[in-house]
Amino acid sequence: MRRSLERSNAQYRKASTRLPMGVSSNFRFWGEKETLYVDHGRGARLWDLDGNEYIDYRLAYGPNILGYADPRVDEAARKGIEVGGVFALSTELEYEVASRISSMVPAAEMVRFSNSGTEAVMAALRLARAYTGKDSHIIVEGGYHGLFDSVLWYSDIEQWDPEKGAPEVHADSAGVPQILKQLTHFTPLNDANHLEDVLRRHGGEIGAFLIEPIMGNCCAITAKRQYLLDARALCDKYNVIMIVDEVKTGFRVARGGVQELMGFKADLCTFAKAMGNGYPISAVAGRKDIMLQVANGVSHGGTYTCHSVALAAAAKTLEILDETPALATIARYGNDLNAGMSRVLRQRGIPHCFTGHGAMSGLFFADTAPGNYRDWLNSDYSFYDTMAPKLHDLGILCEPDSREPWFICEAHDRACLDQTLLAFEKAVDETLEQLHNSKAVQATA
Ligand code: PLP
C-alpha cells in the first residue's frame, strides 16, 4: 500500500475495543490495515481520516445517486427536521411520495414505507406468503436480499463441482435457523427450464419468486428480457408472487427501474437505496390486492417508519430523478467510463466485458458476459482482486470484491472521468506486472 492509512489504522485499533471488528456493518471491515474511516464526502468524492481523497464508485453500495451532501436534498431534509421526526402517526407527505412512486413505476399500485432494503424485502415476502398461503420461496443464485433469516442463504458457487449436480446451499451467517433451509429454493438466472422444473416439483409450497434482474451483488449479471417474460408467465401459472427486488436498480437504471428498462411488471417490488440519496428510507409496492393484505392481518410498520427527515429527502430525490435529466447524465457517464476502460484493456489484449447498465455495471475479465452466477467462475477474477487495491492507492474507490458493481452518481463529472481513466491505466499496468512477476516466481520454484 502506497498511501498512508495511519489514522484509519489507529481508529480501527480504538474502535475495535468497543465495536466488534471496529465497524457497525461487517461489510465495512476490510482488514486490520485496510479498513477505511471516512472524514467526509462531497459530490462524487470522499476523504478518509488521513486526508486521502477518492473518487467514489461504491457510493455506499448505491444510495448516493446524486452525490454526497447534495444541497437540494439536504435543504429538503433540513425542512424535514422542522416537521419534528416521528410521531407514531402519519403525515401528508407520505401520500405524495407514494403517488410519485406509483407514477414512476406502473406496478406500484400501492406503497408502504420502511427504513431499509432488508425491511422492505421482508415485508414483500410476508405479503406473498399471506396472499398465496404458501411459505416457501425461490431465490436466484447469487442474489442478495438483505440481512434477515429467510433470505440469508447462498448457493456455494466457489466450491461448486459441476460434475456433482447443483451447487450446495448454505446459510450466509451463523445463527440462521437451519430449519429455514427447507423453505428456500435456488435457481440459476436466465434458465426458465430450471425455474419451471422447481415450480413443477414444489409449486404447491412456493409463494414467492425473488429476483434482482440486474444482480447488484453479483457483478451486475443481467437477466434476458425473454427470461423475465417466461418467469412472469410461470409465476402466474403456479400462483407464485413475483417479487422484483429493486433495492439497487430502483430509480437508478430508469425512472421506473429495471421493470421499465426490461418492459415487464412485478407483482411486488422493493425500493431503497437511490430513493432518498442516502437518507434511510425504503418501500414495498405492488398490486393493490396483495398490498391490501396489510388490512387483512399482515403486520407491517415500525417506530421509525417515515421519519420526517428521510421522507422529505425522498420527496426531493424522487422529484429530481423524475423531472430532470439526472438519470441520463448518470448513464452517459457510466457508458463513457466503460468505453474508456475498455480502450485501456483492449490496447493490452486483456479479455473483458461489462455487465449491467451504465448506472451500475460490472467489469468482467472474460470475453463474454456471464448469464448467471455459475458463469462467474469462468472469469479471471484474480485480475480484478489484484487491481482493486491499486486503484484505491491511486484515489479510485471501487469495491475490493469483483461481485459488487461500480455505481455512478450525478456528481461524477468530466474531471472524475479523466482522473479515473488515468488511474485505471496505471493500475492495469501494475497488475499485469505483478501477475507476470508472480507467475515467473512460481515457474522457478
Ligand atoms: N436487496 C438488495 C438487492 C440489496 O442490494 C440490498 C443491500 O445491498 C438489500 C436488499 C438490503 O438492503 P439494506 O442493506 O438497506 O437492508
Side-chain angles (χ1 to χ4, degrees):
M1 189 177 302
R2 280 180 299 216
R3 70 199 192 284
S4 167
L5 290 185
E6 209 176 303
R7 288 187 177 198
S8 275
N9 289 172
Q11 183 63 26
Y12 169 75
R13 288 192 295 276
K14 190 166 72 174
S16 52
T17 64
R18 285 274 178 251
L19 300 158
M21 300 161 77
V23 292
S24 295
S25 165
N26 287 10
F27 309 108
R28 296 177 193 175
F29 174 76
W30 289 6
E32 290 184 8
K33 296 274 179 247
E34 294 82 11
T35 298
L36 291 184
Y37 289 85
V38 173
D39 182 70
H40 68 286
R42 288 287 179 280
R45 296 173 191 254
L46 63 79
W47 287 261
D48 67 20
L49 293 189
D50 291 275
N52 298 306
E53 179 178 330
Y54 306 89
I55 298 172
D56 190 10
Y57 292 101
R58 296 174 70 245
L59 300 176
Y61 296 134
N64 294 286
I65 184 105
L66 301 172
Y68 293 111
D70 182 90
R72 300 160 293 182
V73 178
D74 286 356
E75 191 196 335
R78 273 191 288 277
K79 289 190 184 139
I81 294 176
E82 299 303 320
V83 176
V86 283
F87 312 99
L89 291 169
S90 295
T91 60
E92 280 182 316
L93 194 55
E94 292 166 37
Y95 167 78
E96 282 174 36
V97 179
S99 300
R100 169 82 69 180
I101 292 173
S102 295
S103 74
M104 294 170 85
V105 182
E109 292 170 13
M110 296 194 102
V111 179
R112 269 290 179 99
F113 295 101
S114 290
N115 303 295
S116 66
T118 296
E119 282 179 89
V121 180
M122 201 160 61
L125 261 189
R126 185 176 300 148
L127 282 163
R129 291 191 200 109
Y131 187 84
T132 60
K134 299 188 282 183
D135 286 348
S136 299
H137 56 274
I138 304 176
I139 297 178
V140 173
E141 288 174 1
Y144 172 76
H145 300 285
L147 280 168
F148 65 107
D149 293 345
S150 300
V151 295
L152 263 181
W153 296 91
Y154 74 102
S155 267
D156 193 353
I157 299 296
E158 284 174 64
Q159 306 302 324
W160 176 50
D161 177 355
E163 307 284 307
K164 294 190 180 153
E168 284 184 22
V169 170
H170 300 298
D172 209 357
S173 163
V176 171
Q178 282 298 317
I179 197 163
L180 291 180
K181 187 172 179 177
Q182 65 202 51
L183 298 181
T184 315
H185 300 267
F186 275 86
T187 190
L189 190 73
N190 286 323
D191 187 344
N193 290 334
H194 188 283
L195 178 61
E196 175 143 39
D197 194 41
V198 176
L199 288 169
R200 214 181 289 116
R201 285 187 287 125
H202 305 283
E205 307 132 39
I206 292 172
F209 171 54
L210 192 49
I211 180 168
E212 212 192 337
I214 297 177
M215 302 188 76
N217 302 276
C218 196
C219 218
I221 297 173
T222 302
K224 294 189 171 62
R225 180 160 189 269
Q226 189 54 49
Y227 171 74
L228 292 169
L229 299 180
D230 291 345
R232 174 67 278 174
L234 286 168
C235 285
D236 292 339
K237 179 172 169 191
Y238 287 91
N239 182 30
V240 168
I241 301 304
M242 186 176 195
I243 302 175
V244 178
D245 185 350
E246 296 232 37
V247 162
K248 278 188 171 163
T249 53
F251 314 117
R252 170 170 280 283
V253 299
R255 285 179 170 81
V258 75
Q259 295 174 72
E260 178 184 320
L261 197 69
M262 305 266 186
F264 76 109
K265 237 169 134 177
D267 295 315
L268 293 176
C269 38
T270 51
F271 300 94
K273 316 252 182 192
M275 194 176 153
N277 200 45
Y279 287 89
I281 187 160
S282 66
V284 53
R287 266 170 45 195
K288 188 174 175 180
D289 56 338
I290 307 175
M291 292 297 294
L292 280 175
Q293 292 298 308
V294 298
N296 195 24
V298 170
S299 287
H300 177 266
T303 305
Y304 297 109
T305 300
C306 274
H307 190 286
S308 61
V309 171
L311 189 65
K316 184 46 100 179
T317 305
L318 290 173
E319 178 194 310
I320 295 168
L321 296 176
D322 196 18
E323 296 181 13
T324 75
L327 288 181
T329 307
I330 290 166
R332 197 177 323 114
Y333 181 98
N335 292 335
D336 289 349
L337 176 65
N338 293 354
M341 294 202 283
S342 215
R343 225 171 11 252
V344 170
L345 294 167
R346 247 193 342 265
Q347 282 162 358
R348 288 153 182 80
I350 301 171
H352 67 281
C353 58
F354 290 93
T355 42
H357 180 272
M360 53 177 278
S361 60
L363 167 55
F364 222 81
F365 288 98
D367 279 323
T368 48
N372 57 45
Y373 188 27
R374 296 179 186 195
D375 293 348
W376 176 77
L377 274 185
N378 302 329
S379 82
D380 181 6
Y381 47 91
S382 64
F383 194 94
Y384 186 97
D385 293 349
T386 312
M387 182 180 70
K390 298 185 189 307
L391 283 169
H392 299 168
D393 264 343
L394 293 164
I396 308 300
L397 200 59
C398 57
E399 185 68 12
D401 185 332
S402 67
R403 279 164 287 195
E404 186 70 17
W406 289 38
F407 290 97
I408 310 299
C409 68
E410 195 192 19
H412 279 116
D413 58 12
R414 186 77 222 181
C416 292
L417 185 67
D418 293 345
Q419 199 180 326
T420 304
L421 290 177
L422 274 178
F424 183 75
E425 187 161 13
K426 200 157 188 251
V428 167
D429 284 338
E430 289 178 4
T431 303
L432 283 171
E433 195 183 330
Q434 185 179 327
L435 293 175
H436 177 78
N437 290 345
S438 68
K439 271 188 197 139
V441 170
Q442 275 167 16
T444 48

